[in-house]
């Protein structure tokens, strides 16, 4: 049979026939649904032509099961269900994975968190200009989206990306390249604990830091190690939640970097390899030393100015100082004098 005038004759014919072949070019959803319902009467590979599948077609697995390998299938995924008993997107994805028909195109595809990772990968492999709502997608789903990012529309990823160590750096970059203007990011820099602890490596953290403008306030959680090797940490730290665990190796950090640390000290749990100078204000000295271990202080040029009493800021935190060097200006205005002098390097 070829194109029919209505669904009823197809149903009636199939009920009385066997080994039927069908040219499905031009058949609408009702007629394709009738073919699916009567697939037992259709020959294996008996449906040929150009098949256009929409959300109105019922019985998709039965229809797909009778398609000829040479058929051309266009799936208009607009409005297709992604959950429930009739999960049409899952049915289309399973058909694509089966590989019986290679000439498949998926149009008007919208993917959300209800679509399984394996189905996302299959659907995107045949899609063009797909749209993704990433909110509540897990790492497997996000990696699947990234793997098919070439087939996602420009600015086609919306919602909030919840990144974890399981999303690779390359996949993060692929996702970021397709994000819509209003899309946002949260990042769990570590997940699990003990033997199951997983942490983002420095390349992943660099990728996240580069997208700092998209990170929600307090959107970075977990355990984070910051050093001068972490490019962009100055933009990442202000987005870190106070509940996160942040350790800083301050070796090689300049005054401007230390000012960023001081401004966000409530987000920092510990600082090592900290070197302080007269460029650091009394307020910053106090904040930084509060969480530092074994800090070194070059006291050259540090003074006692009202509102910026650097010397006494250091004197108040001597338990966190390993050594004081430089030209030390000791006056009777210096508190904890004996303890301070005990920290002064013998050559100064």
């Amino acid at each position: 049979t070829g194109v029919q005038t209505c669904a009823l004759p197809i149903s009636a014919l199939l009920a009385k026939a066997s080994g039927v072949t069908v040219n499905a070019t031009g058949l609408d959803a009702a007629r394709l649904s009738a073919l699916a319902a009567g697939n037992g009467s259709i020959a294996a590979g008996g449906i040929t032509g150009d098949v256009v599948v929409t959300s109105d077609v019922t019985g998709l697995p039965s229809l797909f099961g009778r398609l000829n390998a040479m058929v051309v299938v266009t799936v208009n995924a607009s409005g297709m269900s992604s959950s429930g008993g009739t999960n049409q997107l899952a049915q289309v994805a399973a058909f694509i994975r089966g590989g019986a028909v290679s000439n498949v195109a998926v149009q008007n595809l919208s993917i959300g968190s209800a679509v399984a990772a394996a189905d996302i990968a299959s659907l995107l492999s045949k899609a063009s200009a797909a749209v993704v709502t990433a909110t509540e997608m897990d790492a497997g789903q996000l990696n699947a989206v990234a793997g098919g990012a070439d087939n996602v529309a420009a600015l086609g990823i919306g919602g909030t990306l919840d990144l974890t160590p399981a999303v690779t750096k390359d996949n993060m970059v692929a996702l970021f390249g397709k994000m819509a203007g209003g899309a946002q990011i949260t990042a769990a820099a570590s997940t699990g604990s003990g033997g199951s602890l997983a942490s983002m490596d420095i390349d992943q953290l660099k990728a996240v830091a580069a997208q700092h403008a998209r990170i929600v306030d307090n959107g970075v959680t977990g355990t984070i190690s910051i050093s001068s090797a972490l490019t962009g940490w100055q933009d990442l730290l202000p987005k870190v939640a106070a509940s996160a665990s942040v350790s800083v190796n301050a070796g090689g950090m300049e005054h401007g970097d230390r000012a960023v640390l001081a401004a966000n000290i409530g987000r920092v749990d510990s600082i090592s390899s900290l070197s302080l100078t007269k460029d650091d204000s009394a307020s910053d000295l106090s904040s930084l030393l509060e969480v530092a271990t074994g800090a070194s202080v070059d006291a050259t040029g540090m003074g006692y100015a009202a509102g910026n009493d650097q010397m006494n800021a250091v004197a108040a935190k001597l338990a966190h100082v390993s050594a004081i060097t430089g030209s030390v200006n000791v006056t009777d205005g210096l508190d904890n004098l004996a303890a301070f002098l005990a920290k002064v390097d013998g050559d100064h």
Side-chain angles (χ1 to χ4, degrees), residues 195-269:
S196 62
L197 178 67
S199 300
M200 287 188 182
D201 62 29
I202 192 168
D203 290 328
Q204 289 172 301
L205 289 173
K206 284 179 181 179
V208 173
Q211 299 296 319
H212 61 92
R214 294 183 180 275
I215 300 173
V216 302
D217 290 343
N218 302 309
V220 182
T221 59
T223 301
I224 307 162
S225 297
I226 290 175
S227 72
S228 58
L230 177 54
T231 307
W233 71 263
Q234 300 91 335
D235 297 313
L236 183 66
L237 183 57
K239 298 290 188 172
V240 173
S243 61
S245 177
V246 178
S247 60
V248 179
N249 181 336
M253 289 187 178
E254 303 293 337
H255 164 63
D257 298 325
R258 298 193 297 273
V260 173
L261 288 177
N264 292 277
I265 203 65
R267 308 173 194 275
V268 177
D269 294 275

Side-chain angles (χ1 to χ4, degrees), residues 3 9 27 100 116 168 181 207 231 242 253 257 264 299-300 316 328 341:
V3 177
L27 295 187
T168 68
T231 307
M253 289 187 178
D257 298 325
N264 292 277
T300 303
V328 182
L341 292 176

Side-chain angles (χ1 to χ4, degrees), residues 100-122:
V101 176
S102 60
N103 199 341
V104 180
V106 180
Q107 302 172 347
N108 301 315
L109 176 64
S110 294
I111 294 174
S113 61
V115 183
D119 291 344
I120 291 173
S122 297

Side-chain angles (χ1 to χ4, degrees), residues 31-196:
R31 294 173 176 85
L32 291 175
S33 297
L35 291 180
N39 75 322
S41 300
I42 300 173
I47 299 177
T48 61
D50 296 342
V51 181
V52 178
V53 175
T54 69
S55 62
D56 293 325
V57 178
T58 58
L60 289 178
S62 297
L63 178 67
F64 293 149
R66 287 294 187 263
L67 294 182
N68 187 277
M70 302 305 293
V71 76
V72 176
V73 179
T74 301
V75 178
N76 181 347
S78 177
M80 284 192 170
S81 59
S82 59
S83 61
T86 304
N87 186 331
Q88 292 174 305
L89 288 183
Q91 292 171 347
V92 172
F95 165 61
I96 292 170
R97 280 196 299 275
V101 176
S102 60
N103 199 341
V104 180
V106 180
Q107 302 172 347
N108 301 315
L109 176 64
S110 294
I111 294 174
S113 61
V115 183
D119 291 344
I120 291 173
S122 297
L123 292 165
L124 287 179
S125 72
K126 299 293 185 179
S128 60
V131 175
V132 178
T133 300
T135 302
E136 296 186 356
M137 283 190 174
D138 62 24
Q141 291 170 303
L142 292 175
N143 282 327
V145 172
D150 286 347
N151 295 329
V152 174
L155 308 181
I157 298 178
T160 300
L161 277 71
D162 298 319
L163 302 176
T164 70
V167 181
T168 68
K169 185 270 291 185
D170 288 343
N171 284 345
M172 288 182 186
V173 173
L175 293 168
F176 298 155
K178 294 289 186 172
M179 289 181 73
Q184 296 181 306
I185 294 169
T186 67
S190 66
T191 57
S193 60
S196 62

